[in-house]
Amino acid sequence: MADNLLALKPLTRSTRLWMPKRVLFTPAALEEPWGQQILERVSALDLPVEELPQNRLTGLRGEDERATYDIAKHTLAVVTAPPSAFKLSPIPPSADWQFHLAQGCPAHCQYCYLAGSLQGPPVIRVFANLPQILANLAAYERPGDATTFEVSCYTDPLGIEHLTGSLAECIRYFGTSQDGYLRWVSKFDAVDDLLDLPHNGHTRCRISVNAASVAGRYEGGTAPVASRLQSLRRLALPRSRGGGEYPVGLVVAPIMPIEDWPEHYGRLLDEISEALDFDCDLTFELISHRFTPGSKEVLLNWYPKTSLDMDEASRTVKRNKFGGTKYVYDSNTMKTLRNFFEHEIAQRFPQARILYWT
Ligand code: SF4
């Protein structure tokens, strides 16, 4: 690490890496060379490994939803991605396409975006057939036109990277891609193994952040925001200063109009500005809090005592073209929040692009 990096700011505490209590392998996953690579990693960490008799995951339910949640969040299952994983879906406004190296996340965010999106217990499933998943992506690139691929829709890829190596493999793949660009986002901070990868500017690393009071209250099991920002700094710094020289981004989410929110979010933007006090290719994505009837039900099962505001009466209903319903803030609140962020970001980061507000 560069001396000048240390001199500028002492490194904040790195979060303890997530270690599952059980690692399950399906027979099909063990047949995959990438599955064997994961087996070597988890064996080197002395994690208890079990080979399942069949390719289905069963027996992971507890006595109630909360017990099932606890079992699942301590379990890593190495499986092969089903055929449906090879038919990609668009993911506006974040990217052209989404693909998955895993499904499930070891953190405990009380507003988790995965609630209601994934079926069954929230076991962390990682895919042993990653090389095939990557080889399939070329067919989705638009020749001669930058095509973006988001890999963090169903997992936090950095939170499990020490167990899989899969994010690094994706970065290497896109480093050789003609028109494909990778995007990932995380609330973790262990980026050491990513800094020297040959990314060729084809990966944008983003860190998800929030006001300290929101992160502290609702983002269990994640790295502290200050550590995330130091990791983003290292990813963005030029190689000559010990960094990864990646294009980077901040995802500010979920934005909530908590008491004194301009002060809290203003402080967050100041902290970002301190961490990124050098020229870099920087984007912002701004996402206000929302929930659906399905996600609310799942979240209240997982976190029955949450103080998260999910009161339908104080929200506006938004319907999508498939008939789905979500609850968002009313248009005045949205407008006020949006204006604040656009103004404050322009003041502090005149070179940055805001990709979207939603
Ligand atoms: S880091 Fe993201 S995916 Fe993981 S628990 Fe939090 S919101 Fe869910």
Side-chain angles (χ1 to χ4, degrees):
M1 182 186 306
D3 290 346
N4 49 2
L5 173 59
L6 283 171
L8 267 165
K9 183 138 187 166
L11 277 181
T12 43
R13 172 178 65 85
S14 186
T15 313
R16 207 156 49 89
L17 297 172
W18 177 67
M19 294 295 168
K21 287 188 181 155
R22 298 170 77 189
V23 184
L24 312 177
F25 280 83
T26 63
L30 284 173
E31 281 172 20
E32 298 287 341
W34 195 254
Q36 287 292 326
Q37 184 268 154
I38 296 174
L39 178 62
E40 277 174 33
R41 282 175 180 262
V42 297
S43 302
L45 290 166
D46 261 345
L47 296 172
V49 171
E50 296 166 47
E51 182 179 347
L52 297 172
Q54 55 184 12
N55 286 325
R56 272 168 51 90
L57 296 180
T58 52
L60 290 168
R61 289 202 176 270
E63 281 180 358
D64 54 25
E65 287 296 326
R66 181 64 215 189
T68 300
Y69 173 91
D70 281 340
I71 294 169
K73 286 276 184 175
H74 287 115
T75 304
L76 179 73
V78 186
V79 303
T80 46
S84 60
F86 293 83
K87 191 170 179 313
L88 305 195
S89 306
I91 179 70
S94 167
D96 294 310
W97 301 106
Q98 56 178 306
F99 75 101
H100 311 288
L101 55 76
Q103 290 187 347
C105 169
H108 306 273
C109 299
Q110 293 177 30
Y111 54 72
C112 180
Y113 311 107
L114 304 184
S117 315
L118 298 179
Q119 301 301 312
V123 173
I124 294 87
R125 295 170 172 80
V126 305
F127 297 140
N129 49 346
L130 181 68
Q132 294 92 311
I133 293 170
L134 291 174
N136 178 54
L137 303 182
Y140 288 85
E141 277 179 35
R142 294 182 303 263
D145 195 5
T147 313
T148 50
F149 295 81
E150 172 64 72
V151 73
S152 349
C153 296
Y154 287 163
T155 188
D156 187 310
L158 188 59
I160 51 174
E161 178 64 3
H162 54 295
L163 305 169
T164 66
S166 296
L167 178 58
E169 187 66 4
C170 293
I171 293 171
R172 279 190 288 265
Y173 170 84
F174 279 92
T176 63
S177 169
Q178 190 72 29
D179 297 304
Y181 288 80
L182 177 68
R183 297 163 59 68
W184 62 269
V185 61
S186 177
K187 291 193 184 81
F188 287 83
D189 62 355
V191 297
D192 286 8
D193 292 346
L194 306 182
L195 297 180
D196 293 334
L197 295 176
H199 59 76
N200 196 24
H202 278 232
T203 291
R204 185 172 297 276
C205 309
R206 295 118 82 215
I207 291 291
S208 171
V209 290
N210 216 316
S213 52
V214 176
R217 194 172 311 161
Y218 298 124
E219 297 180 351
T222 61
V225 171
S227 301
R228 296 178 217 169
L229 290 178
Q230 286 305 303
S231 298
L232 194 67
R233 172 184 175 85
R234 300 175 68 208
L235 289 164
L237 271 171
R239 290 243 150 108
S240 59
R241 293 177 67 187
E245 208 164 327
Y246 283 91
V248 294
L250 273 311
V251 178
V252 188
I255 295 168
M256 302 178 193
I258 48 172
E259 205 179 333
D260 299 327
W261 64 264
E263 189 189 322
H264 291 289
Y265 282 109
R267 199 173 306 141
L268 172 69
L269 293 173
D270 286 342
E271 284 163 11
I272 297 170
S273 168
E274 278 169 32
L276 299 179
D277 59 348
F278 53 95
D279 275 345
C280 59
D281 178 345
L282 176 65
T283 59
F284 279 85
E285 293 155 77
L286 306 171
I287 304 173
S288 61
H289 180 248
R290 67 267 330 277
F291 61 93
T292 66
S295 70
K296 177 175 174 175
E297 188 187 338
V298 173
L299 289 171
L300 289 179
N301 276 324
W302 289 351
Y303 310 106
K305 296 192 180 131
T306 187
S307 61
L308 185 70
D309 165 36
M310 291 190 282
D311 176 14
E312 293 86 348
S314 65
R315 301 286 183 123
T316 294
V317 179
K318 207 169 162 187
R319 292 184 206 285
N320 67 22
K321 58 185 173 190
F322 308 109
T325 298
K326 64 184 161 195
Y327 294 97
V328 300
Y329 296 118
D330 66 78
S331 63
N332 266 347
T333 305
M334 290 288 256
K335 211 193 271 166
T336 310
L337 288 168
R338 181 179 186 161
N339 287 345
F340 169 85
F341 277 97
E342 289 181 349
H343 178 261
E344 298 296 319
I345 287 171
Q347 294 275 310
R348 291 172 178 81
F349 311 94
Q351 82 289 5
R353 281 180 297 141
I354 297 178
L355 299 185
Y356 57 87
W357 159 273
T358 184

